[in-house]
Amino acid sequence: MHSKKQIQHSEAAADFNKDIPRVDWHDETLWYVREKRDKAAFQIPDWELLRETASQIKNNVLANIHDYLIQFESKAKANGVIVHWAANAEEHNKIVHSIMAKHGVNQMVKSKSMLTEECHLNEYLAEKGIDVIDSDLGERIVQLRKEPPSHIVLPAIHLKKEDVSETFHEHLGTEAGNNDPQYLTEAARLHLRDTFLTRKVALTGVNFAVAETGEFVVCTNEGNADMGVHLADVHIACMGFEKIIPQRKHLGVFLRLLARSATGQPITTFSSHFNTPRAGKEMHIVIVDNGRSTQLGREDFRNSLKCIRCGACMNTCPVYRRSGGHSYHNAVAGPIGSILAPNLDMSKNADLPFASTLCGSCTNVCPVKIDIHDQLYKWRQVLVKEGHTPIGKTIAMNGMAAVLSKPMVFNLAGKAGRLVMQKIPVLVNNNFNPWYKQREMPSPPDESFREWYKKNGKESKSQNNGQ
């Protein structure tokens, strides 16, 4: 994925929108998940208190991250866990590969981990001759299709059952045209069963790491993480350093928020605690920075590190729902991805903070109260100042600034614009005008508001005074 020529969000979204029925279906499906979230949230009288509590816990974590990480490392080591530190994606990938090389293993079963997507671990290991099987059903589907996940919780949400049927027929030899979800799920189960039984190394992500105890928690609905880990000799858990929480009792806050925000469930089907490796087995934790320290040092953007990867902001975002996750060219899509990605690479991801209406719905549903839409707006300012916007847009904005800052020029431009739209509309109603591509142009008014007010303002005032 990362080796291909990158397409800007607007271009990728335009391509996604060519299939209108699919776009409508994608939009409605994600909004259904958003509605489930609302129903689950409103069943808890203290929902807003939970959000505020989680937010404050995360604020405490970010303010004391060094101490909590050192405490976690100490406790984890005391539990018999081997702890690794990775400054960036390359170090993370090398560490994972070195563990496999040490054991002479060239196969891995992996449950969902957005960090490994961020680090492009699958591609790295493939180049080293390692066979990686993603065991999450959605992840496995997109892996077979050689696609990245389009959503952090629902990796294959962009696909219909007919697409899955075709993919499974091609790769798993299922019956052509059989679109029954139960049949397809059973086929995936049989396919993965052999993988679970034969892989000696299992990799998982980490949802929460508890500084107090040195344990970590992995949340799944399919039990694939547990199955992979319990049958393997080596468990590798990979986590961004922001996954730390101070004490085990705080899990009660986050576990109540996570599933309700993600899918509208009261809690994930499996919330598995890993503390100590079993006798004769190994457990490794890889703690990764990969730009997080930089984000931590950005006062306006550090709150983005509070994210618990629930995906609620994606499910509610009108832009994400109608542009698809792949249009964001980043491991984490949607509003949260659009404030995380520029931190990793401003130039590469300069388009993403502009892929938003700034409606604020993302901020309203965030379980840890990240000010997402404010950060999107602030990123736009930073990117413009740093010169990362397209030349055409920069010239256009400078031209607009010149017009809007001079009343005489503004009035002349308005008159000229109205005249052109009235007399020669083809100069505006054409495909060179981005607005016209998506919308009908409004009918030009006969006069500006300023002109109207000069004629009518005094009369309106006198009438109001008379009343």
Side-chain angles (χ1 to χ4, degrees):
M1 176 189 166
H2 57 296
S3 60
K4 294 179 182 176
K5 181 182 181 297
Q6 182 173 294
I7 301 174
Q8 293 284 289
H9 177 274
S10 56
E11 298 174 52
D15 188 57
F16 184 73
N17 272 266
K18 289 176 182 176
D19 188 343
I20 294 174
R22 183 179 290 268
V23 173
D24 290 342
W25 168 81
H26 189 263
D27 181 20
E28 290 163 7
T29 302
L30 285 161
W31 187 250
Y32 167 70
V33 180
R34 160 68 206 269
E35 288 179 321
K36 284 178 64 184
R37 173 262 176 205
D38 289 350
K39 290 173 184 175
F42 297 154
Q43 288 171 358
I44 300 180
D46 59 350
W47 178 257
E48 289 305 318
L49 176 60
L50 269 178
R51 290 182 70 214
E52 180 62 25
T53 304
S55 179
Q56 293 298 340
I57 292 170
K58 282 290 189 176
N59 284 341
N60 174 271
V61 167
L62 296 182
N64 301 281
I65 191 73
H66 171 81
D67 295 331
Y68 286 132
L69 285 170
I70 295 301
Q71 182 186 8
F72 176 78
E73 179 188 40
S74 174
K75 295 289 184 180
K77 284 183 174 179
N79 293 340
V81 179
I82 302 167
V83 180
H84 309 262
W85 297 85
N88 50 42
E90 183 182 7
E91 283 190 15
H92 163 270
N93 294 345
K94 285 181 177 178
I95 289 167
V96 173
H97 181 245
S98 70
I99 296 169
M100 300 195 69
K102 169 192 164 189
H103 289 274
V105 175
N106 61 3
Q107 294 181 320
M108 172 195 285
V109 61
K110 181 164 76 71
S111 69
K112 188 186 295 172
S113 164
M114 294 314 298
L115 175 67
T116 61
E117 293 290 340
E118 174 188 320
C119 296
H120 302 289
L121 177 67
N122 282 20
E123 295 94 325
Y124 178 89
L125 292 179
E127 291 170 2
K128 302 291 184 183
I130 305 292
D131 180 34
V132 180
I133 297 289
D134 279 302
S135 60
D136 174 271
L137 179 55
E139 292 270 358
R140 185 58 181 150
I141 291 167
V142 295
Q143 186 183 33
L144 289 173
R145 295 172 63 91
K146 293 181 168 55
E147 295 175 355
S150 68
H151 190 290
I152 57 178
V153 175
L154 313 163
I157 192 65
H158 60 291
L159 300 171
K160 294 187 174 185
K161 60 186 178 182
E162 291 81 8
D163 303 316
V164 177
S165 177
E166 289 177 13
T167 301
F168 280 12
H169 174 64
E170 179 184 352
H171 295 278
L172 306 184
T174 55
E175 182 184 334
N178 191 331
N179 303 328
D180 177 36
Q182 186 170 343
Y183 168 76
L184 296 172
T185 305
E186 182 65 24
R189 184 182 182 192
L190 291 171
H191 161 64
L192 288 170
R193 179 57 59 92
D194 179 63
T195 300
F196 287 126
L197 292 171
T198 57
R199 271 15 184 210
K200 299 303 181 186
V201 174
L203 185 145
T204 70
V206 172
N207 288 95
F208 306 102
V210 184
E212 176 187 41
T213 61
E215 71 187 294
F216 58 94
V217 178
V218 179
C219 302
T220 69
N221 277 327
E222 298 171 21
N224 55 302
D226 304 75
M227 180 77 87
V229 166
H230 293 327
L231 292 172
D233 295 328
V234 180
H235 177 186
I236 306 173
C238 302
M239 58 174 270
F241 69 53
E242 78 283 7
K243 293 301 181 76
I244 288 282
I245 61 172
Q247 297 175 292
R248 177 184 275 179
K249 68 180 183 181
H250 296 140
L251 285 168
V253 175
F254 290 101
L255 290 176
R256 293 178 77 196
L257 286 166
L258 177 61
R260 284 181 170 88
S261 298
T263 57
Q265 298 169 251
I267 195 167
T268 47
T269 308
F270 298 87
S271 298
S272 304
H273 296 237
F274 296 96
N275 186 299
T276 305
R278 289 170 294 144
K281 311 295 183 182
E282 279 186 17
M283 186 180 289
H284 298 257
I285 296 175
V286 187
I287 303 173
V288 184
D289 185 329
N290 200 38
R292 287 160 175 78
S293 292
T294 305
Q295 192 84 322
L296 188 64
R298 299 183 195 271
E299 188 176 349
D300 285 339
F301 306 111
R302 67 185 310 209
N303 275 353
S304 61
L305 293 174
K306 290 157 66 173
C307 177
I308 60 173
R309 301 294 193 270
C310 68
C313 61
M314 302 181 184
N315 302 336
T316 198
C317 177
V319 176
Y320 174 89
R321 295 200 320 263
R322 299 197 69 83
S323 62
H326 290 156
S327 63
Y328 291 81
H329 58 76
N330 184 55
V332 181
I336 186 63
S338 297
I339 60 176
L340 292 173
N343 175 66
L344 291 171
D345 189 329
M346 278 196 212
S347 178
K348 179 182 175 184
N349 300 301
D351 58 319
L352 297 183
F354 295 90
S356 169
T357 64
L358 300 182
C359 67
S361 187
C362 49
T363 301
N364 290 340
V365 300
C366 178
V368 289
K369 290 192 169 184
I370 302 172
D371 53 337
I372 302 175
H373 74 292
D374 287 335
Q375 292 194 33
L376 287 165
Y377 175 62
K378 288 173 181 175
W379 263 122
R380 294 182 186 188
Q381 295 173 307
V382 170
L383 292 165
V384 170
K385 287 176 183 175
E386 296 285 338
H388 291 295
T389 48
I391 294 174
K393 179 177 280 190
T394 302
I395 293 171
M397 294 306 291
N398 288 337
M400 285 296 294
V403 171
L404 294 172
S405 62
K406 297 178 177 63
M408 186 179 293
V409 177
F410 175 73
N411 290 334
L412 286 172
K415 286 180 181 178
R418 290 193 296 278
L419 189 64
V420 167
M421 290 176 72
Q422 289 168 349
K423 305 298 183 184
I424 325 172
V426 71
L427 292 180
V428 178
N429 298 341
N430 59 65
N431 285 329
F432 292 104
N433 178 1
W435 180 279
Y436 182 73
K437 288 180 183 178
Q438 303 288 343
R439 313 164 180 85
E440 291 182 4
M441 293 300 292
S443 300
D446 294 326
E447 58 189 357
S448 69
F449 174 78
R450 180 186 292 266
E451 290 168 341
W452 176 91
Y453 190 78
K454 277 184 178 180
K455 289 191 297 185
N456 299 282
K458 290 180 181 178
E459 183 181 338
S460 299
K461 279 183 179 179
S462 63
Q463 288 177 353
N464 289 335
N465 291 335
Q467 291 175 355

